Amino acid sequence: MKTILHAAGLALIAGSVSAAIPVGRGEISASAAATVTYDSNLFGTNDATGDTFGTLTPRVSYLKKAGLIEASANAGISFLRYLEQTELDAENLDLDATLQITNASQRNYSGLVSAAYRESADVNTDINARIETQATTFIAKGALITGPRSQVATNANYSDTQRSIASDQQILSTDVIYAYSDFFYGNSLRIAGNYDTLRTSGENARGVALDQKSYSLTGGLNRTFARDVLRFGFNYGYRIVNRSSEENPDRPARQSGSILSVILEGPFLPAKYFPKITSSFSLSYQSAATPGINDDGSKELVGTLRLAWEARERTRVRFSAYRTQRLAVSDVTVVTTSVQLGLDQTLRTNLTGTLTAGYDWSTYDEMDRDDNVVSASAGLRYHFARKWDANLTYFFNSISSNLRESTFDRHVVSLSVSYQF
């Protein structure tokens, strides 16, 4: 803890003589945040172990908006020191960089490339344990307008997550999309091809590493309504997944099936009758993008619904509901349904508050496990000086499961102060 106090003092002294530094056509700036946190359940178990710890996070940022390419980069390190559980002391790196083409709306092409590396440690409810994680991600996007009514876009996402326990996972997702507007009675044609891969280290209940490759081709029609602010889409396609024979010995390594999705994007509630409400909705019926161990490829209904109501000038009410399929750190498929209700309130010009309550229920394939989660959070943000901010947050999580070892409660309270040099 003394290390944090000494570093915080140096950061404050530096702040009195530092400012944004011009570099070429951009500038470099710095910030620092000091946080005190109490966590009632550091390891996510029913015999909870709590502790208080301090975090100091200095960060340096670079931003360039001039010219054809906009560039940004951030580098930070978090020093964590615990009062009692000193074996959890750590220094976690957080690095990211992004390059993108500026004023893309004024050109017939656009592009973005970004990379990030983050180290962290936190409770993971999939295995009810604290996991140290090193995550590397790469994202690339590009689009080209090929004619008055047509364009081509491509996307690639890669993530490599290394964990102290549970499975390491490498996921690659790529797609190429061709779109042609006013194709058929005012509808737009959309054709997409996808290639995805998944590899894991096999730290799971069966000791089997996942090795998957999938290919898919979809096509569909999209149409806009309400002066082009609401888009409805219907897409149908076919997907092939090649898996290692060890993943599911009772089924063929090659699986295939259809993909069906229905998408409604934009304010599905008419603005004429609901001028203070923004909304969005999407729905699809398909198998998991990255199926887990013994996942038989059965299809699930997944989607999202969001509503935001500007109740008053300073009051905003949020509601969201979603159903997703994901790959757990234990290499099994998890289907989660969640609902959340939130409130954002501006109490003063320099003081804002948030409240959120939610309920989730999850089913873990292969494990015969069902979880029900009640969560709540609250926060206050106070901008008390030109370059100073203070944040107070509270988080509560209560998990009830048919597995006793997966049932626990957790309270986390944090107070932080940040300074922008």
Side-chain angles (χ1 to χ4, degrees):
M1 188 65 73
K2 289 183 179 179
T3 302
I4 292 179
L5 295 177
H6 292 161
L10 292 174
L12 294 180
I13 295 172
S16 63
V17 297
S18 300
I21 303 172
V23 177
R25 304 180 73 179
E27 65 177 25
I28 294 177
S29 61
S31 64
T35 306
V36 177
T37 303
Y38 170 75
D39 190 334
S40 70
N41 200 331
L42 290 168
F43 302 99
T45 59
N46 47 29
D47 53 342
T49 299
D51 198 0
T52 300
F53 62 95
T55 308
L56 177 66
T57 308
R59 178 176 293 273
V60 178
S61 301
Y62 173 77
L63 178 62
K64 181 187 80 72
K65 290 188 175 182
L68 175 62
I69 303 297
E70 177 179 313
S72 64
N74 299 278
I77 183 169
S78 296
F79 301 91
L80 290 86
R81 296 294 183 267
Y82 289 76
L83 288 180
E84 297 178 0
Q85 307 295 321
T86 55
E87 71 277 9
L88 300 181
D89 291 353
E91 294 81 34
N92 294 329
L93 285 174
D94 187 348
L95 310 171
D96 67 82
T98 301
L99 298 173
Q100 62 179 332
I101 296 175
T102 59
N103 300 318
S105 61
Q106 302 173 17
R107 310 176 192 275
N108 66 340
Y109 58 90
S110 63
L112 178 146
V113 177
S114 69
Y117 173 77
R118 291 183 173 89
E119 298 175 345
S120 62
D122 202 358
V123 172
N124 188 286
T125 57
D126 291 337
I127 61 173
N128 302 109
R130 188 178 185 86
I131 300 179
E132 296 177 3
T133 302
Q134 296 85 38
T136 304
T137 58
F138 296 96
I139 299 174
K141 298 180 180 181
L144 175 66
I145 298 176
T146 56
R149 294 186 295 175
S150 61
Q151 70 172 357
V152 177
T154 182
N155 303 281
N157 295 269
Y158 175 77
S159 66
D160 182 356
T161 306
Q162 304 292 316
R163 301 182 174 95
S164 57
I165 55 176
S167 251
D168 301 333
Q169 298 173 344
Q170 295 84 40
I171 301 174
L172 172 67
S173 176
T174 64
D175 63 52
V176 177
I177 303 170
Y178 174 76
Y180 190 91
S181 61
D182 198 16
F183 170 73
F184 180 73
Y185 289 99
N187 294 285
S188 297
L189 174 67
R190 183 183 184 276
I191 299 175
N194 295 72
Y195 171 70
D196 305 322
T197 66
L198 166 67
R199 292 183 176 86
T200 75
S201 61
E203 300 295 326
N204 51 57
R206 297 177 58 186
V208 175
L210 304 186
D211 186 2
Q212 303 174 3
K213 295 181 180 179
S214 68
Y215 314 82
S216 66
L217 180 65
T218 60
L221 297 177
N222 297 265
R223 188 178 183 89
T224 58
F225 301 89
R227 299 180 180 179
D228 296 334
V229 298
L230 180 64
R231 183 175 73 90
F232 175 79
F234 176 84
N235 299 282
Y236 182 81
Y238 196 76
R239 180 170 179 249
I240 298 173
V241 181
N242 294 320
R243 309 170 63 178
S244 66
S245 57
E246 290 81 7
E247 291 182 30
N248 193 334
D250 299 327
R251 293 183 176 273
R254 182 186 178 94
Q255 300 177 1
S256 59
S258 58
I259 300 173
L260 175 65
S261 65
V262 178
I263 299 174
L264 182 64
E265 293 181 341
F268 62 85
L269 296 178
K272 179 180 179 180
Y273 302 104
F274 303 93
K276 294 185 177 183
I277 297 179
T278 57
S279 55
S280 64
F281 174 77
S282 66
L283 191 66
S284 62
Y285 181 69
Q286 62 185 59
S287 55
T290 51
I293 296 175
N294 210 32
D295 188 326
D296 59 6
S298 60
K299 296 179 175 61
E300 295 284 349
L301 194 65
V302 297
T304 61
L305 183 149
R306 293 186 178 90
L307 293 169
W309 174 38
E310 302 293 338
R312 295 182 180 178
E313 182 181 357
R314 296 187 173 190
T315 305
R316 186 170 183 262
V317 180
R318 298 171 281 107
F319 173 80
S320 64
Y322 65 83
R323 195 167 195 265
T324 62
Q325 292 187 92
R326 66 176 178 86
L327 183 68
V329 301
S330 52
D331 288 344
V332 299
T333 300
V334 185
V335 179
T336 299
T337 304
S338 175
V339 292
Q340 284 190 346
L341 182 64
L343 173 68
D344 302 327
Q345 179 69 48
T346 300
L347 303 171
R348 290 168 48 183
T349 55
N350 62 342
L351 180 63
T352 58
T354 61
L355 291 172
T356 304
Y359 184 79
D360 305 351
W361 52 100
S362 301
T363 301
Y364 288 74
D365 190 25
E366 172 79 3
M367 297 176 60
D368 191 26
R369 171 181 167 183
D370 295 298
D371 288 0
N372 296 282
V373 183
V374 177
S375 61
S377 64
L380 285 174
R381 181 176 182 272
Y382 181 39
H383 184 66
F384 60 90
R386 188 168 64 92
K387 294 186 176 183
W388 290 90
D389 287 287
N391 290 273
L392 176 63
T393 61
Y394 168 74
F395 172 76
F396 168 73
N397 212 28
S398 179
I399 300 179
S400 299
S401 175
N402 60 335
L403 301 182
R404 183 180 180 277
E405 61 270 21
S406 299
T407 299
F408 67 89
D409 293 341
R410 187 185 185 196
H411 304 263
V412 180
V413 181
S414 294
L415 175 63
S416 67
V417 177
S418 60
Y419 179 81
Q420 180 70 43
F421 294 151

